């Protein structure tokens, strides 16, 4: 397992009270590991090897002055690891990223079966995004057309991002993919009512975010 926890290690006592688990799915070789590495480490992973089971990375981001821990669960695309090892990791997932390779139509056609898997784990109502990776490869003609991909994204009610984990110039798009989910998850947290006396008069009502749930204890042990 790979773990990136640079921020929390650098800042002792950092209050990390919100944790969101994001699972990354897609065929083998589409670039899931490189995308998650780009987001967590800020660079392209030169020698990426096929993931066995699930790799775990994380990054702490700030939203509304709060520290949010984004846990990225980078799954193996290879079928032989999926049945035996990956199914377990769907527990307590908050959001889903589905990746295809814009130069390999077969990886785009697999999205329907990835969606079935997402559905079978009850995640159709969770925030989901579709990502076409490797935009730096091939020619405009050989890459899967954006309009075609957009139609499928619309059908499933997901935003579409096209990017490249390889290109430094595309790091902003990679950032947007995960930050879009982080913002959606943050704003989805239930609100609680707090009554405030004497600020704007008696009985003033304020809304605040509910205390988040924490990482299930038996999942944190998977991260070593
Ligand atoms: P599995 O772990 O087998 O499911 O594959 P994966 O989806 O994690 O793919 P991975 O990130 O390991 O990338 C597969 C290959 O594609 C590697 O050789 C990467 O260097 C390459 N790759 C990943 N992203 C990009 C990209 O944006 N552009 C280019 N040109 N190559 C990429
Ligand atoms: Mg991988």
């Amino acid at each position: 397992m790979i773990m990136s926890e640079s921020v929390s290690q650098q800042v002792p006592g950092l209050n990390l009270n919100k944790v969101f688990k994001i699972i990354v799915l897609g065929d083998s070789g589409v670039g899931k590991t490189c995308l998650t590495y780009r987001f967590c480490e800020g660079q392209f992973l030169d020698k990426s090897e096929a993931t066995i089971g699930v790799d775990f990375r994380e990054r702490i981001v700030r939203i509304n002055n709060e520290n949010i821990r984004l846990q990225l669960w980078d799954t193996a695309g290879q079928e032989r690891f999926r049945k035996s090892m990956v199914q377990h990791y769907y527990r307590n997932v908050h959001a889903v990223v589905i990746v295809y390779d814009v130069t390999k139509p077969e990886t785009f056609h697999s999205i329907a079966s990835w969606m079935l898997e997402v559905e079978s784990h009850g995640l159709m109502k969770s925030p989901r995004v579709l990502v076409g990776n490797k935009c730096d490869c091939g020619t405009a003609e050989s890459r899967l057309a954006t309009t075609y991909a957009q139609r499928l994204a619309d059908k499933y009610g997901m935003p579409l991002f096209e990017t490249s984990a390889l290109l430094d110039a595309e790091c902003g798009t990679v950032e947007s993919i995960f930050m879009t989910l982080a913002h959606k998850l943050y704003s989805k947290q239930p609100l609680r009512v707090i009554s405030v006396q004497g600020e704007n008069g008696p009985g003033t009502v304020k809304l605040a975010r509910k205390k988040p749930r924490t990482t299930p204890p038996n999942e944190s042990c998977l991260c070593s």
Side-chain angles (χ1 to χ4, degrees):
M1 299 276 169
I2 300 168
M3 189 168 173
S4 152
E5 206 183 356
S6 47
V7 179
S8 56
Q9 279 164 359
Q10 281 163 17
V11 187
L14 183 65
N15 181 19
L16 291 165
N17 55 6
K18 291 189 171 58
V19 181
F20 295 133
K21 175 175 175 179
I22 301 174
I23 196 163
V24 185
L25 308 172
D27 283 4
S28 182
V30 296
K32 300 179 295 296
T33 297
C34 290
L35 282 166
T36 55
Y37 192 88
R38 166 68 80 179
F39 180 71
C40 293
E41 304 296 332
Q43 55 186 309
F44 184 64
L45 178 63
D46 268 331
K47 292 191 178 86
S48 179
E49 288 175 8
T51 304
I52 297 170
V54 177
D55 276 342
F56 170 87
R57 294 183 185 83
E58 67 176 22
R59 183 174 143 191
I60 290 141
V61 299
R62 276 186 84 75
I63 299 179
N64 275 0
N65 261 349
E66 286 190 66
N67 295 313
I68 315 289
R69 188 191 291 263
L70 291 187
Q71 295 185 334
L72 307 187
W73 296 72
D74 165 28
T75 67
Q78 284 185 32
E79 190 58 38
R80 64 194 165 122
F81 300 125
R82 296 208 59 84
K83 286 270 166 338
S84 55
M85 300 169 80
V86 176
Q87 299 306 314
H88 171 73
Y89 293 92
Y90 275 96
R91 228 158 28 103
N92 300 316
V93 162
H94 295 104
V96 180
V97 176
I98 298 179
V99 185
Y100 66 95
D101 177 340
V102 294
T103 67
K104 294 217 168 70
E106 64 275 20
T107 66
F108 180 77
H109 295 130
S110 297
I111 292 166
S113 60
W114 288 112
M115 290 308 293
L116 285 177
E117 186 158 319
V118 167
E119 192 175 8
S120 73
H121 288 91
L123 291 168
M124 289 305 271
K125 292 215 168 88
S126 303
R128 293 157 292 132
V129 296
L130 183 61
V131 178
N133 187 38
K134 304 200 190 182
C135 285
D136 60 286
C137 291
T139 60
E141 293 72 36
S142 68
R143 289 192 289 267
L144 193 98
T146 302
T147 47
Y148 197 59
Q150 188 64 60
R151 228 173 290 149
L152 191 75
D154 291 346
K155 176 181 157 192
Y156 288 120
M158 303 190 272
L160 170 70
F161 293 87
E162 291 178 316
T163 194
S164 160
L166 174 75
L167 297 179
D168 289 344
E170 282 292 314
C171 68
T173 315
V174 176
E175 195 79 1
S176 305
I177 293 165
F178 295 103
M179 290 309 288
T180 296
L181 291 175
H183 278 276
K184 272 194 187 166
L185 291 169
Y186 182 86
S187 61
K188 258 179 62 165
Q189 288 181 109
L191 297 169
R192 68 196 157 104
V193 175
I194 305 173
S195 63
V196 181
Q197 295 283 323
E199 196 178 87
N200 298 318
T204 308
V205 167
K206 242 188 179 177
L207 292 174
R209 299 278 163 213
K210 262 193 177 166
K211 283 248 185 270
R213 51 183 155 155
T214 49
T215 321
N218 53 353
E219 285 201 351
S220 50
C221 67
L222 298 167
C223 309
S224 53

